[in-house]
Amino acid sequence: MFSGLGRFVVRRPWWIILAWIVAAGAVISLAPKLTSSSDEASFLPDHYESIRAADVQETEFPKQQNVGAIIVFQRSDGGTLTAADSADVARISKDLQAKKIPQVQAVVPGAVSPNKLVQTSVVAMPKITDPEDTAQQDAVKDLRSDLGPELKNTDLSAGITGSAAQALDESDASERAGLLVGVGTIVIIIVLLLVIFRSPIIALLPVVLIGLISPMATGLIASANKAFDMKADSSIQELLTVVLFGVGTDYILFLLFRYREALRAGEDPKGGMVHAVERVGEAITSAAGAVIVAFAALTLSSLGMLRSMGPALAIAVFVTLLAGLTLVPAVVSLLGTKVFWPSKSWQKEPQGTGFARLGTSIARKPAVWALVSALFMGALALGALGYRANFDLAGSSLPKDKESMVALDNLQKGFPAGSTDPTSVYLTSKDDNPLPEARTAVFRAQLADVKGVGKVSAAQPGKDRTTAAFSVILADPPASDRALETVKDRLRPTAHQDAPPGTEALVGGTTAVYVDINKAVDRDYSVVFPVAALAIMVILGLLLRSFVAPWYLMLSVALGFGATLGATSLLFQQIGSQPGLMFMLPVIMYLFVVALGTDYNILMVSRLREEAREGRTPHDAAGTAVRHSGPTIGSAGVILAGTFATLMLAGNSTLSQMGFSLSFGILIAAFVMAMIFTPALTALIGHAAWWPGHGDQKRHGGERPGAGPDAGAGAGAGSTRD
């Protein structure tokens, strides 16, 4: 099949290239814009309590003012606020409201903090119904612009925080992050390919080809999101960039290394490309299939952000696979050996390379290498025991010098940390009878007694008095572990148990959303992980015609995942003193390390099988496979890890955690799992690794490797061939 595909592409390269250009132009011109959302609540299913509470708010309190932003005032000299200062706050609030800024419903001055250091004005805005609408961010821009002149001739300084302000700062940071990630990815690919191949043509090849298919893939993803009403997380664009360029460069490398090997063996350029597609096509397709099914498993997630991320990344990898099997061979077949210019390394394989020495050592002592690599990954995996989840996607992803973060820190000098985002409790009558004031007063007192609650407002009756709303200010920041514990372990149980007979209590708000997201993620761990692993094992089983090999290949991937999570936890939580890792990170890390790690395992084990079919013993097959596939896997791993590492340039902890964990996981997958653990273990297991098939037997009959008296001699002779 792949031999026929290779011949078809090599014979008609211009038609293939033209077809890709036409298809890309059509998709790009017709596709909608790819949009994303950072509204965590929009990602949860309707049956979660926080979403049900939001529905009550929309039904019973449609005119309830939503706190879109908070202006935080303090004295410029850091002293206590005076009566004159409070008068200035009231005047400024009145002036800002009089400006009639779109989306600003009211600017209401609040009380001075108990320690007289801080005073706030609450900016009321409508509830966001369209995550793509940036009108409230524009309103914050206008407020910040108008606030400066208002502060002149006063002793006050002020900053604006709150959800709309954080969204504005996050948008500004994301634009910078996207530029840095895009430029950094391209620079790293060019530099590393120049070092590896010493050819400017090869260095630019992935940039040009993936630059063509990248907007095409983005257009297809945007069309799928619109057609199936999927919401993408705000980091999806940066992630798409590194996936397209990283995975695409991997597949190009797989093909080019095999093409160069065929040329060294005496093939002509056209025949060499057909040979490369034939030998690598199955491995690339299986590897891409593993990545696609792993990402597709995210559609089983409870969270909308992961359900949309999975298909988006799967589409990107599928388009990259098609390009790797058609567009790349077409372009390279036209260039021929000029693709390596000015280097002459394609003519002869260098002797005594590090990969050849590593292969020889693994062939001689596979047990030692298997044990050392397993212990190394296992030791790092112990760090995962300290993993903690962090749910503050907005706050944790923003640089600390952004105005919304500075103002938030100032706010907490005088008020409970939960003041920026109160938790809401709704008490609803089940029999449609009005709620007596005495009962709501008792219920309010019971909520106020909960440990971790700072303040509870008086009951606000609904339009027909069958529902009452309570604003609960927590003592801790809304996204902190202690705030989540307060809502999950104390506030919700108290609200449910102490609700008067004939009523129902629902706890909502941002902290409640985080509690429900935590519950949803725990559920996803028990569903997405095993489904993705099972699907990848099926692909491995079909590729290798083996029942045994998929098990130890997945064992190696599991060790790699544990090592990656452990190293990331140690770096960011223990050394970096961050409150935790982004709550989605283990799922994303698992899928990337499992799927892309399986890529390298597939390439290595496919070469192991190929060398065994040449008549080599299991030990010699492992050594020869490392010698030939080591440079490919090592180069691909370094480049892919480098592209993921560019996420650390974004300047926020969320993408920094993602960048480090994915790049470290790829390096573990390439240099420890695929290059050492897998070949060493395969050599130890021997012929049984291919049970119940006969994947290691010669294609044209003959004895099983190692069975005949001359098998060792054949292996030794073959292990030095170019």
Side-chain angles (χ1 to χ4, degrees), residues 242-533:
V242 296
V243 167
L244 283 165
F245 278 92
V247 174
T249 303
D250 263 13
Y251 295 163
I252 291 174
L253 282 177
F254 291 173
L255 197 70
L256 284 176
F257 270 99
R258 200 56 188 254
Y259 178 54
R260 187 174 68 179
E261 186 179 330
L263 294 176
R264 287 171 173 172
E267 293 269 11
D268 65 275
K270 297 288 186 183
M273 180 51 64
V274 174
H275 174 86
V277 173
E278 176 188 5
R279 292 301 178 96
V280 180
E282 184 180 28
I284 291 179
T285 303
S286 300
V291 177
I292 289 169
V293 298
F295 289 154
L298 284 175
T299 57
L300 302 175
S301 171
S302 300
L303 298 174
M305 69 181 81
L306 293 179
R307 283 202 307 273
S308 61
M309 181 186 294
L313 298 178
I315 290 171
V317 173
F318 180 72
V319 173
T320 305
L321 170 65
L322 292 181
L325 293 176
T326 57
L327 180 61
V328 176
V331 172
V332 175
S333 68
L334 286 174
L335 295 172
T337 58
K338 296 183 180 66
V339 75
F340 299 103
W341 180 88
S343 173
K344 301 293 185 181
S345 63
W346 62 271
Q347 296 176 346
K348 185 177 181 181
E349 179 183 1
Q351 300 297 315
T353 64
F355 294 106
R357 291 192 295 272
L358 176 63
T360 301
S361 181
I362 290 175
R364 289 175 179 170
K365 300 177 180 179
V368 172
W369 282 103
L371 181 61
V372 169
S373 57
L375 288 176
F376 173 74
M377 292 187 286
L380 283 177
L382 293 176
L385 298 175
Y387 163 75
R388 296 187 303 273
N390 177 30
F391 294 87
D392 187 6
L393 290 186
S396 65
S397 64
L398 282 174
K400 298 304 179 184
D401 59 350
K402 286 291 185 180
E403 181 175 333
S404 60
M405 301 305 294
V406 174
L408 179 61
D409 289 340
N410 291 332
L411 175 68
Q412 293 176 7
K413 294 176 182 177
F415 290 102
S419 301
T420 58
D421 207 341
T423 294
S424 301
V425 179
Y426 298 97
L427 187 66
T428 304
S429 173
K430 293 181 179 179
D431 52 15
D432 294 332
N433 290 326
L435 295 171
E437 290 185 11
R439 284 191 174 184
T440 57
V442 171
F443 184 67
R444 175 195 176 194
Q446 291 166 328
L447 296 178
D449 287 339
V450 172
K451 182 182 177 182
V453 170
K455 180 182 177 182
V456 181
S457 68
Q460 178 186 352
K463 53 188 177 182
D464 55 4
R465 307 190 71 83
T466 60
T467 301
F470 303 85
S471 179
V472 180
I473 295 178
L474 302 178
D476 302 297
S480 66
D481 288 341
R482 287 187 294 185
L484 268 66
E485 289 173 3
T486 296
V487 170
K488 178 186 175 184
D489 299 333
R490 294 185 291 275
L491 184 60
R492 270 186 175 170
T494 297
H496 296 163
Q497 294 166 12
D498 293 343
T503 65
E504 179 186 33
L506 296 174
V507 179
T510 300
T511 306
V513 168
Y514 291 145
V515 170
D516 290 339
I517 286 178
N518 193 13
K519 184 178 179 181
V521 169
D522 288 342
R523 176 261 179 198
D524 289 349
Y525 288 161
S526 64
V527 175
V528 176
F529 281 22
V531 168

Side-chain angles (χ1 to χ4, degrees), residues 115-148:
N115 61 8
K116 306 293 186 182
L117 292 178
V118 178
Q119 186 172 0
T120 63
S121 281
V122 174
V123 181
M125 295 181 176
K127 183 176 176 61
I128 296 176
T129 56
D130 181 8
E132 302 172 16
D133 188 359
T134 61
Q136 294 192 5
Q137 298 177 32
D138 296 335
V140 173
K141 282 184 184 178
D142 293 339
L143 284 169
R144 286 175 173 172
S145 176
D146 294 337
L147 182 60

Side-chain angles (χ1 to χ4, degrees), residues 61-332:
F61 304 91
K63 296 183 179 180
Q64 185 181 49
Q65 290 182 334
N66 178 63
V67 179
I70 298 175
I71 307 175
V72 182
F73 296 92
Q74 58 183 347
R75 282 187 63 87
S76 301
D77 58 9
T80 57
L81 293 166
T82 65
D85 294 330
S86 293
D88 285 335
V89 170
R91 175 188 58 79
I92 292 172
S93 301
K94 183 178 179 180
D95 290 348
L96 290 175
Q97 182 170 335
K99 293 181 182 296
K100 303 294 184 182
I101 298 173
Q103 294 291 309
V104 176
Q105 297 173 324
V107 183
V108 183
V112 180
S113 65
N115 61 8
K116 306 293 186 182
L117 292 178
V118 178
Q119 186 172 0
T120 63
S121 281
V122 174
V123 181
M125 295 181 176
K127 183 176 176 61
I128 296 176
T129 56
D130 181 8
E132 302 172 16
D133 188 359
T134 61
Q136 294 192 5
Q137 298 177 32
D138 296 335
V140 173
K141 282 184 184 178
D142 293 339
L143 284 169
R144 286 175 173 172
S145 176
D146 294 337
L147 182 60
E150 293 286 346
L151 292 170
K152 289 183 179 179
N153 302 320
T154 72
D155 295 322
L156 299 172
S157 63
I160 302 179
T161 187
S163 58
Q166 285 188 340
L168 172 62
D169 290 342
E170 185 179 16
S171 176
D172 292 341
S174 294
E175 290 181 7
R176 173 179 172 272
L179 178 63
L180 285 173
V181 168
V183 173
T185 298
I186 292 173
V187 169
I188 283 179
I189 288 175
I190 291 175
V191 170
L192 290 177
L193 285 177
L194 275 173
V195 172
I196 294 168
F197 285 98
R198 298 186 294 281
S199 166
I201 297 176
I202 289 181
L204 293 174
L205 188 64
V207 176
V208 174
L209 296 185
I210 299 168
L212 170 66
I213 67 172
S214 178
M216 181 180 179
T218 302
L220 290 173
I221 293 165
S223 300
N225 284 356
K226 183 176 181 180
F228 297 101
D229 191 28
M230 297 186 295
K231 297 180 177 69
D233 172 59
S234 56
S235 64
I236 187 65
Q237 189 63 65
E238 288 82 9
L239 203 54
L240 276 175
T241 299
V242 296
V243 167
L244 283 165
F245 278 92
V247 174
T249 303
D250 263 13
Y251 295 163
I252 291 174
L253 282 177
F254 291 173
L255 197 70
L256 284 176
F257 270 99
R258 200 56 188 254
Y259 178 54
R260 187 174 68 179
E261 186 179 330
L263 294 176
R264 287 171 173 172
E267 293 269 11
D268 65 275
K270 297 288 186 183
M273 180 51 64
V274 174
H275 174 86
V277 173
E278 176 188 5
R279 292 301 178 96
V280 180
E282 184 180 28
I284 291 179
T285 303
S286 300
V291 177
I292 289 169
V293 298
F295 289 154
L298 284 175
T299 57
L300 302 175
S301 171
S302 300
L303 298 174
M305 69 181 81
L306 293 179
R307 283 202 307 273
S308 61
M309 181 186 294
L313 298 178
I315 290 171
V317 173
F318 180 72
V319 173
T320 305
L321 170 65
L322 292 181
L325 293 176
T326 57
L327 180 61
V328 176
V331 172
V332 175

Side-chain angles (χ1 to χ4, degrees), residues 138 498 548 616 651 704:
D138 296 335
D498 293 343
V548 176
R616 292 176 176 80
R704 177 169 55 86

